[in-house]
Amino acid sequence: MNAALQLKDVHKSFGKTEIIRGVDLEIREGERHAVIGPNGAGKSTLYNLISGRFPVSSGAIRLRDQDITNRSAFEINRAGLCRSFQVTNLFHRMSVLDNVRCGALFSLGHKYAFWKFVSRQKDVAERADDILERIGLSGKRDWPAGMLSYADQRALELGVTIAGGGDVILLDEPTAGMSHSEIAQAVALIRRISTGKTLMIVEHDMGVVFDLADRISVLVYGEVIATGTPEEIRNSAQVKEAYLGTEAT
Amino acid sequence: MTAPGTFVARYGIWIFGAVLLLIMPHVFTSSFALNLMSQMGVLIIFSLAYNMLLGQGGMLSFGHAIYFGLAGYFTIHYLNFVYDDIAPYIPVSLFPLLGGCVGLFFGTLVGYVSTRRAGTTFAMISLGFGEMVTALTLILVAIFNGEDGIQTDRVVGPEPLGISYGPNIEVYYLIAVWVLVAAAAMYALTKTPFGRMSNAVRDNPERTEFIGYNSQRIRWLAFALSSFFAGLAGSLHAINFEHVGFEQVSALTSGLVLFMAYIGGVGHFAGPVIGAVLITFLNGTLTTYTEAWQLYLGVLFVAVIMFFPGGLAGLIIMHQPIWRIDTRLLAPLTVPYLLFIGALLVSLIGFIGLVELLIYKTSRLGAAHDLTIFGITMDPSGVVPWISFAIVMAVGVYAIRKAFPVAAGAWNTAIDQARARAAQ
């Protein structure tokens, strides 16, 4: 089995506090891999290390056959890894359509071009139409992103994330703050957008995790204490203990 | 091809602008008006260039006059070189392109350093470079000739098509053509991948990094391109006045363009155009009436920042959702708006009266002659004018406080009606 993403003995300290304490993790090509763990386990930090937001203190991160350790965020994105954010992170004064277009521009080769019009680029239009259709925001394409409802902003967050066509997708609590009916829709959406791609997802809602994930890793205090199928994780005494133990404190 | 409706919608405003530029000198024929309009043109280009940074890219610069002024110096020198047969002849009409390249050169250089960071750091660095270049123009006398600045005669070489640029009207039309070309180019830039990403970096620089972009490079590109157009404007300024001095690179000019962009409105492409026209007009006309023009400009700026942060363009645009639905919905706004404007004028009369009295008392202490304000001659040593203007101002401010909620309420009603109609 090929690894799409591989972390080897990754450490991260902020000052004297070690947040990530030697994480080894392998995300296989084409799987949906969930990372769970109690609050403060370091899930978001782990994402920030993988996606290049923070440098690692030590260790190595590989995206397929490329070493992406401590590369800048845009280089990692260009290498095919895209991520969403836990707190919605959009271009709030721009339209929904322009948000998605911006997500697609670089990967379609338009980069920093100032000699051609965005609206005349067929590839951008097709990509944007497709994404808007998939995230269900076709009807609101001209709305400023800041005016959307929370659930719609979460959907747009996903749209901007996948617009670049990256095939390793990292989602950071995509259903946080949603109602039950919204969560069901979001899960269906995540399933659609991750088909044929590799998905890594951090999620608190266990229903979502066990519904979506092929494999699950449990992160506790900056260490991965178990990785396995949902069945294995559910029955793991170690996980139960760690989870309940930390929950209790 | 495009349908006539969309053609008018897309190009109508540009055709209107071109016709306006064409006929203005025939409507206002005095040489004073012509000079003023030429200045307006130059500053329209400059403030649009400035807004590429501020409104489009989210970069607040306190030193953008560098590129305007340095291109101006270069233009003057080059004209003199052509005159002395040192440099090859270039048609004067194309000088703005040369000036643009000078702006681009320095913008690329300085931008490499200053655009590494956004926000306050960027603003501070821009201020530093502005002061540095201003100091250099005063130190390097051989190049910049200190406080006197340098001058030239723009009539050099052959006269293609009989255009010598001797008469001011020919310079006006040169500026008019470049206003159209530069404005169209800058507008087109907002529609390109670079332009969209410039907006994206303004809204959320961090996210752009996670969709493949180096946000620093976008800021750098925006800075360099903006400097190009600033240089283009600076070159036209030099041709227009045949003189460039240290004021053109100094914080004075940098501040002026900031005022124009803000008062006009940074959130809309046309905002800086409105600002440039209004401020140049007031600057040109009011300086003959009052010594306190700078003070009034400052008050206008503060008022816009505090009460209408969208600027004049923002005030217009906030009515767009209403007139898009039905222009008749604007009719009920007329009376409340006129009341508000009336109250504003009354308080302004009181304020201006007080300021003028104060200036008179402090600057010509002991002068015995009477003072004329608003056509009324009065004795400034008495208390009556002071009390009268204070009362007028108090009444005006009171009226503003009463009229503003009414005007705002009328707008709210109209926008609600428009939204209700749109929802139907």
Side-chain angles (χ1 to χ4, degrees), chain A residues 1-6 26-29 62-65:
Chain A
M1 194 75 74
N2 290 326
L5 190 64
Q6 199 173 28
E26 195 179 279
I27 311 294
R28 291 174 189 157
E29 199 71 67
R62 294 183 72 80
L63 180 65
R64 307 225 166 77
D65 49 2

Side-chain angles (χ1 to χ4, degrees), chain B residues 25 66 68 97 133 182 248 298 328 332 383 394:
Chain B
I66 298 176
F68 180 84
L97 273 184
V133 173
Q248 269 71 53
R328 279 171 299 177
V383 287

Side-chain angles (χ1 to χ4, degrees), chain B residues 91-180:
Chain B
V92 174
S93 321
L94 298 180
F95 261 75
L97 273 184
L98 211 61
C101 292
V102 173
L104 180 66
F105 174 76
F106 287 107
T108 308
L109 219 61
V110 175
Y112 180 72
V113 180
S114 66
T115 58
R116 289 184 164 259
R117 301 285 294 278
T120 314
T121 318
F122 171 85
M124 292 301 113
I125 294 174
S126 75
L127 188 64
F129 272 105
E131 289 305 307
M132 203 170 81
V133 173
T134 310
L136 280 180
T137 56
L138 296 172
I139 294 165
L140 303 177
V141 178
I143 305 171
F144 301 106
N145 199 27
E147 288 191 14
D148 292 337
I150 53 174
Q151 46 201 337
T152 190
D153 182 352
R154 65 188 174 222
V155 185
V156 289
E159 296 169 9
L161 308 170
I163 303 168
S164 66
Y165 291 116
N168 283 339
I169 184 77
E170 292 183 4
V171 174
Y172 168 82
Y173 279 115
L174 173 71
I175 292 171
V177 167
W178 278 107
V179 166
L180 275 182

Side-chain angles (χ1 to χ4, degrees), chain B residues 351-375:
Chain B
F351 175 71
I352 291 170
L354 287 174
V355 170
E356 294 299 321
L357 279 171
L358 197 65
I359 290 170
Y360 186 87
K361 288 292 275 186
T362 50
S363 65
R364 276 173 225 154
L365 213 58
H369 62 85
D370 289 345
L371 171 67
T372 306
I373 305 173
F374 302 122

Side-chain angles (χ1 to χ4, degrees), chain B residues 155-393:
Chain B
V155 185
V156 289
E159 296 169 9
L161 308 170
I163 303 168
S164 66
Y165 291 116
N168 283 339
I169 184 77
E170 292 183 4
V171 174
Y172 168 82
Y173 279 115
L174 173 71
I175 292 171
V177 167
W178 278 107
V179 166
L180 275 182
V181 171
M186 283 186 268
Y187 183 72
L189 274 176
T190 66
K191 305 289 179 194
T192 64
F194 152 74
R196 296 288 88 185
M197 289 314 300
S198 193
N199 291 169
V201 167
R202 170 199 67 197
D203 280 4
N204 190 345
E206 186 177 44
R207 185 62 192 261
T208 60
E209 303 268 334
F210 294 94
I211 53 176
Y213 280 91
N214 181 345
S215 60
Q216 188 249 317
R217 184 165 292 185
I218 292 170
R219 280 198 297 269
W220 188 21
L221 189 57
F223 194 89
L225 290 173
S226 163
S227 302
F228 173 84
F229 288 103
L232 196 153
S235 189
L236 284 169
H237 175 93
I239 293 169
N240 188 30
F241 284 96
E242 299 179 306
H243 172 268
V244 169
F246 78 98
E247 298 94 338
Q248 269 71 53
V249 295
S250 73
L252 198 72
T253 307
S254 293
L256 188 69
V257 75
L258 169 65
F259 276 32
M260 286 174 175
Y262 242 114
I263 290 170
V266 295
H268 191 267
F269 182 79
V273 178
I274 300 173
V277 170
L278 179 76
I279 302 300
T280 313
F281 174 76
L282 293 177
N283 202 4
T285 51
L286 290 187
T287 40
T288 54
Y289 296 107
T290 173
E291 295 169 36
W293 153 239
Q294 298 280 354
L295 175 70
Y296 298 131
L297 180 62
V299 170
L300 174 65
F301 182 64
V302 171
V304 167
I305 298 272
M306 286 182 66
F307 301 112
F308 306 105
L312 297 172
L315 278 180
I316 298 169
I317 292 301
M318 67 188 262
H319 296 90
Q320 192 183 33
I322 304 172
W323 82 64
R324 278 235 175 113
I325 299 296
D326 189 349
T327 45
R328 279 171 299 177
L329 288 173
L330 292 174
L333 295 174
T334 321
V335 174
Y337 278 21
L338 284 178
L339 279 176
F340 178 71
I341 292 169
L344 202 64
L345 287 177
V346 170
S347 62
L348 262 182
I349 287 171
F351 175 71
I352 291 170
L354 287 174
V355 170
E356 294 299 321
L357 279 171
L358 197 65
I359 290 170
Y360 186 87
K361 288 292 275 186
T362 50
S363 65
R364 276 173 225 154
L365 213 58
H369 62 85
D370 289 345
L371 171 67
T372 306
I373 305 173
F374 302 122
I376 306 163
T377 306
M378 56 196 78
D379 175 13
S381 55
V383 287
V384 179
W386 293 85
I387 292 174
S388 313
F389 279 126
I391 291 173
V392 170
M393 188 174 161

